[in-house]
Amino acid sequence: MDCVFCEIVKGNILSEKIYEDEYVLAFKDLKPQAPVHFLVIPKKHIKNALEIKEEDKDILYNVFLSIQKIAKELDLKDGFRVVNNCGEDGGQTVLHLHFHVLGKRKLNWPPG
Ligand code: 5GP
Ligand code: ZN
């Protein structure tokens, strides 16, 4: 399997890690779209939001707990955005479930 985020989890591709626990890894996005832009991914390979199963509930809970911890550490008290792109229409380019977290600038809504 050829998955860039699995390679990041294994340490075969370098990334700027900002958080790690048993379930998840968070690292800075290669092409940041805001002053703060990191990705939170499950260590387990899950293709996208359509593939999440009942057995993955601990992972998803920890994704959002880690976002909360990091947001406090990075002082994102003015708010931030969590984005999950799913499938072709959603603009998903890396086929390993991931959540973008963007902050430290006023973000537009709706997205393009
Ligand atoms: P998607 O478009 O699938 O929602 O987002 C994929 C994101 O992964 C993009 O924002 C892209 O910049 C980021 N990305 C792709 N490859 C790498 C990589 O090797 N390292 C890091 N840190 N980010 C990556
Ligand atoms: Zn993967």
Side-chain angles (χ1 to χ4, degrees):
M1 189 173 50
D2 198 19
C3 173
V4 63
F5 287 176
C6 281
E7 294 304 312
I8 285 176
V9 169
K10 286 186 225 155
N12 295 335
I13 293 177
L14 292 182
S15 67
E16 274 193 75
K17 287 183 196 174
I18 57 174
Y19 178 83
E20 182 170 14
D21 65 27
E22 184 186 345
Y23 297 98
V24 306
L25 182 66
F27 52 93
K28 291 186 183 176
D29 196 290
L30 204 56
K31 293 181 187 163
Q33 304 299 319
V36 168
H37 184 181
F38 61 90
L39 302 172
V40 182
I41 70 170
K43 288 185 169 177
K44 174 185 170 183
H45 182 88
I46 300 170
K47 184 179 169 193
N48 62 31
L50 287 169
E51 302 288 323
I52 296 166
K53 298 190 168 58
E54 167 84 26
E55 69 202 38
D56 300 322
K57 61 178 185 279
D58 287 348
I59 295 174
L60 268 294
Y61 175 61
N62 278 275
V63 163
F64 279 89
L65 268 189
S66 69
I67 289 172
Q68 194 182 102
K69 281 181 202 159
I70 299 163
K72 285 176 184 166
E73 271 168 31
L74 298 182
D75 194 31
L76 298 178
K77 60 180 179 316
D78 293 335
F80 55 90
R81 183 170 295 163
V82 181
V83 175
N84 172 250
N85 296 327
C86 179
E88 205 181 328
D89 281 359
Q92 185 179 9
T93 59
V94 177
L95 301 185
H96 179 129
L97 182 68
H98 54 278
F99 296 85
H100 297 257
V101 181
L102 301 122
K104 296 274 187 192
R105 77 166 167 86
K106 186 81 181 160
L107 297 158
N108 300 322
W109 191 262

